[in-house]
Amino acid sequence: MQPLRIAIAGTGMIGAVHADAARRAGARVVGVAASTPERAKAAAVRLGAERSFDHADELAAAPDVDVVHVCTPNALHGPLVRRALAAGKHVVCEKPLSTELSDALELADLARESGLVNAVPFVYRYHAMAAEARHRVRGGAIGDVRLLHGHYLQDWLSGRADDNWRVDAAVGGASRAFADIGSHWCDLVEWVSGHRIAALTAVVQTAVPERPASGSVSTEDVVHVLLRTDRGATGSLVVSQVSPGRKNRLWFEIDGAEHSVVFDQENPESLLLGGRTRTETVVRDPGTLSAEAARLSPVPAGHPLGYRDCFAAFVADVYEAVRRHPTDGAPDRPLHPTFADAARTARITDAVLRSAHSRSWIEVR
Amino acid sequence: MQPLRIAIAGTGMIGAVHADAARRAGARVVGVAASTPERAKAAAVRLGAERSFDHADELAAAPDVDVVHVCTPNALHGPLVRRALAAGKHVVCEKPLSTELSDALELADLARESGLVNAVPFVYRYHAMAAEARHRVRGGAIGDVRLLHGHYLQDWLSGRADDNWRVDAAVGGASRAFADIGSHWCDLVEWVSGHRIAALTAVVQTAVPERPASGSVSTEDVVHVLLRTDRGATGSLVVSQVSPGRKNRLWFEIDGAEHSVVFDQENPESLLLGGRTRTETVVRDPGTLSAEAARLSPVPAGHPLGYRDCFAAFVADVYEAVRRHPTDGAPDRPLHPTFADAARTARITDAVLRSAHSRSWIEVR
Amino acid sequence: MQPLRIAIAGTGMIGAVHADAARRAGARVVGVAASTPERAKAAAVRLGAERSFDHADELAAAPDVDVVHVCTPNALHGPLVRRALAAGKHVVCEKPLSTELSDALELADLARESGLVNAVPFVYRYHAMAAEARHRVRGGAIGDVRLLHGHYLQDWLSGRADDNWRVDAAVGGASRAFADIGSHWCDLVEWVSGHRIAALTAVVQTAVPERPASGSVSTEDVVHVLLRTDRGATGSLVVSQVSPGRKNRLWFEIDGAEHSVVFDQENPESLLLGGRTRTETVVRDPGTLSAEAARLSPVPAGHPLGYRDCFAAFVADVYEAVRRHPTDGAPDRPLHPTFADAARTARITDAVLRSAHSRSWIEVR
Amino acid sequence: MQPLRIAIAGTGMIGAVHADAARRAGARVVGVAASTPERAKAAAVRLGAERSFDHADELAAAPDVDVVHVCTPNALHGPLVRRALAAGKHVVCEKPLSTELSDALELADLARESGLVNAVPFVYRYHAMAAEARHRVRGGAIGDVRLLHGHYLQDWLSGRADDNWRVDAAVGGASRAFADIGSHWCDLVEWVSGHRIAALTAVVQTAVPERPASGSVSTEDVVHVLLRTDRGATGSLVVSQVSPGRKNRLWFEIDGAEHSVVFDQENPESLLLGGRTRTETVVRDPGTLSAEAARLSPVPAGHPLGYRDCFAAFVADVYEAVRRHPTDGAPDRPLHPTFADAARTARITDAVLRSAHSRSWIEVR
């Protein structure tokens, strides 16, 4: 079996994570592109790529590339994805697909119509214990879901001196905290629970209204959301990038009629399974878990898996889909998160901003 | 110094907690009243009271009683409080003061006008580490408060077979989960932060619409709230009495510009003090805490204080106010929570129900 | 029923804890004695005692006292206990009974022969979850016990400038860290497990050999012990008063053939119940616990109990034994820890020091 | 730069971990060998190796292999290592090097004399927070080390029906629990603290004396150790493979004069840094850590690293040493753990068994 040939546009932290995952999945990293040819050359050495491309456009259409990974700033996602799909490449694109909802929806349509494999790294689905939570909730083990709640808290923008291209709506999109991390929470909780957010109301806050380089900031630092699901549950969510000491706390609790289940991305080796008379710590132990969670557990209990293991499992699944393509056809319901999933979180993000603006409940399609 | 003479109307679990606290504060428990004279007699033995009263009304006006503790079902609070105040007694009344907002406001006015000591057991203020949180937040140690969030989760009504007088709006009031426990969260977080809830929007849910004895249930099991404070912070809160495995999880996080502070009532011996570069576990250690937290720490670090210690500290403070009355006059701003504080939470509760009904934001006075 | 009349010799922190517990149990604190008459007077006010005694000797024989609590420095325990027993008083004595093993054994014999109620506050037995652990281990729920291990760590003597009468062997006894806190661990683990330490070997360390006031220090700061039990288990234990950040960490794990059970005195509201396929957090919930643990749970789950609640439960049990005396006779196996239990820990302490000195295993009778 | 060519003898769980790490480090996995040629073929597909070898001997001397990874059962380590070194291969060998102390020492000598890169996966050194602990302890941040204590607990052999080749001394060596996991604890704690175990006494226990396939068991399930270090600290350690619910709990605490530091391999994203007045949770955050810990942190704080990330970092360091060889010469003090480190743990293991047998203290060279 020939190794897949993949290339990565964008060589920041997340580009390195893609490269590591690709290599673990047995692919050849044939090339990388960065913001300048010089940076691309340096990144090729650093990430162990076979060569560098002077321009991401060139990379996206290179004949010896099977899969294109788009890891650039948000505003460049759309053009690169279009070019790669046009050249018949399978595409892994960081979220958001686009800074505009309409464009995100169009990209998802384009990808679907292309028949090519398309994927977005909602990688928290690949924590074994998130998969175990899904297995239990969807299998009815906790009873009917009554409420879903939690938060996604970071602190990297809590200081007045912190700055980043993402705070500029023109580059990162109109929503920042929600588009960047709130979307992960929604994707994960919908995926685990099987419930879909049907309506929501939100309040947003820009806690640091002025940043050194970006100047006046229009994107939000904080979002609180109330929600109702299509199946009658209620929920709420706090999203913040200004909570000191919170590095990447994606935490949720789903309360069912019989049990609650609690997951914390920063401590992903176990679930809390609450009950009226018994509260269990479900440990990531391939010997006792569901088939899917065991599949995501390449090492025994007590040997922690981490973020890069999730990411590697996601990429391995995507490449498996690529290998089966087109013989098997693109499966109707791929295991991995797709552009369609990213488009859905774009709809939710849009509803959040509109709701906060109008101080009213908004239906989410 | 003669011991204070106190009497307790209502002899359930919380009545026993009042009796224990009174005794620890050096008071004589001269009498108790219950739903029947027989129950009162049995309770007098069980709680170590000197005698029993046949009727709570009699207790509320007994000449040899200095302080009346009202621990009956909610609907009886108002009449007993009125009678006790009329008889010149100092009063400790369980919240809510009344099942009706207008009545609660009237009771608070009556108490104020009487000049008598009046208190409501928002006892979580008496956890040493809650006091420490207040000291730090109000003293500016965490920087400007940006967001406040958390939850208060219980599970004792999660089963379809669970029932209680509180689920009946006629006996317990129109709000159940929020009035019962959400009010504690709001009182505590306002007290710690110095922020006051200025506006809110809420969604409520009755997860178990039918209970065995109560029949159809009109009070809520779940509330999610979004809020804005008078000083520009945003916040959110989940309140639930149907979250399996959650016994009494009052949890909050206050995120300031420099630090976050996290308190968990079920683990009250420490605070989490988050920071960008350093996250500290602040241990309840009288040697290193603020004066108020040290005052609430009668035993050294590592010797856990608990719920009954809070309660005892609250009662001791109330009795201290009684002892100084009327020489010192009722202080304008007593240390302990008063009827005015209870009236405020009644206003918030009322806003929650109105907001949930109208699906809109409501201002809170 | 007339309240018991009790008196307390020694008015430091622990004396105040005894007073609080006595009052909660419905007793009258008729008097206190301290190192000087003036201190006794001040303490009487502070602790709410009816009067002060000029000398502890006087207190121990006062005609209107039913129970004497001995809370003085260790070297004074023996004389006061002898005087109180001679005067026909029931006695609660802080451990160690004496700074000398032979004297401790003699005091235990005296107390037994007197037929009077005698008690030593190994109060950690009164944590509800320690009682639950005992119920489960002794009832066979964890299978045969294979190993017992843990530690008891404090930090109050970790600094070179820290000092205390206890560091002086002449006042506190030849062993300090082990006699003071190691004894608690051994009492608790033997009580929970039903195993008795049959042989041990130890190493001791004086980490701070010079203290400001005490000068050269001969008592140990640290002890590590290996042990074998009478029923074939092995074990080990670390005791330290110089572990920075550890305030009062009494922690043990008992590993059985089917389950392990873990208790942490600083988080006494739950047990960890480990298993091959399922690990449970057993919450202090009177509705689901054993009868004894429920008896020790006067408040519902989620309302933390603490150190002073343990202490109060211990004192209440002792007073109950006093009330039944002599009608019921001193029960052969009282519920509460007695002088015989204190004598046993004195034997273990003696074996620890001899073993450390001889670098060999020592049998413990 | 040509990728290194590596081969793996032994294709169990740990062989797969080596393969993953090798691929992440950019090496080509040119071959694998297993217990039979058929198993090797299947493993080559599963692990993504380029080909399979019929015999491990063949693999160890194959001309197109730069580095040989020895992952076979213990008794085969020695022969394969000798063959590989003789063929001029760099060697990564699982511990123990040999089932016999004398042989382990000889292998370490052979490796040293060969000048070839030799490494043993004491991979816990590669947890970023273990490196951070080392940085702080060795840099004096916690003050003089007074005591070291902890445990390494597993449960995979707790059942009477559990069995494995390791329980047979003829295949696995005279020590099992200690050689297998106790050695990791000693390596890690010596590496972090800079102290070396100078003398020890131990007790061992075979909790399950009969196993289904292995029959009568002579190797230990449990070890408790007391120790003294070359620099005057005392310590103790519990090692068990029969502690239900403990999957891989390698936990240690080092108590210094100013601070304590606590590490838990199952929660490797933070350290507890205890202090008299302040207890900090040191989070794995490359922005605030020491250079070495930051080097081991390829992803930001809050994105957990795990066991396979440690392993990958270890292998990357070994390959870096290989790439610099022989130009740079084998560094006198390589960063990675070597055969000399494995020989040291073999000495400690030998002392443990002799001490347990003689019930006496044994000096460790």
Side-chain angles (χ1 to χ4, degrees), chain A residues 3-93:
Chain A
L4 286 180
R5 299 160 305 172
I6 72 104
I8 302 170
T11 58
M13 182 278 281
I14 202 67
V17 169
H18 282 249
D20 180 54
R23 192 166 287 115
R24 293 173 84 173
R28 284 172 47 204
V29 182
V30 299
V32 295
S35 51
T36 67
E38 292 67 35
R39 286 188 179 168
K41 275 201 190 88
V45 173
R46 199 175 74 243
L47 305 189
E50 299 178 7
R51 73 180 191 277
S52 65
F53 289 88
D54 284 358
H55 298 289
D57 280 359
E58 194 186 327
L59 176 152
D64 63 340
V65 167
D66 301 310
V67 185
V68 172
H69 290 245
V70 179
C71 303
T72 61
N74 300 350
L76 304 178
H77 290 177
L80 280 174
V81 165
R82 281 188 172 81
R83 192 167 173 86
L85 290 174
K89 309 302 185 193
H90 306 288
V91 182
V92 179
C93 182

Side-chain angles (χ1 to χ4, degrees), chain C residues 28 40 46 49 88 116 132 157 165 203 216 231 240 261 274 297 316 346 348 358 361:
Chain C
R28 285 173 45 205
R46 200 175 72 243
L116 294 160
E132 182 69 17
L157 288 168
W165 58 262
V203 61
S216 177
R231 293 166 61 188
S240 163
V261 62
S297 290
I348 296 172
S358 64
W361 284 80

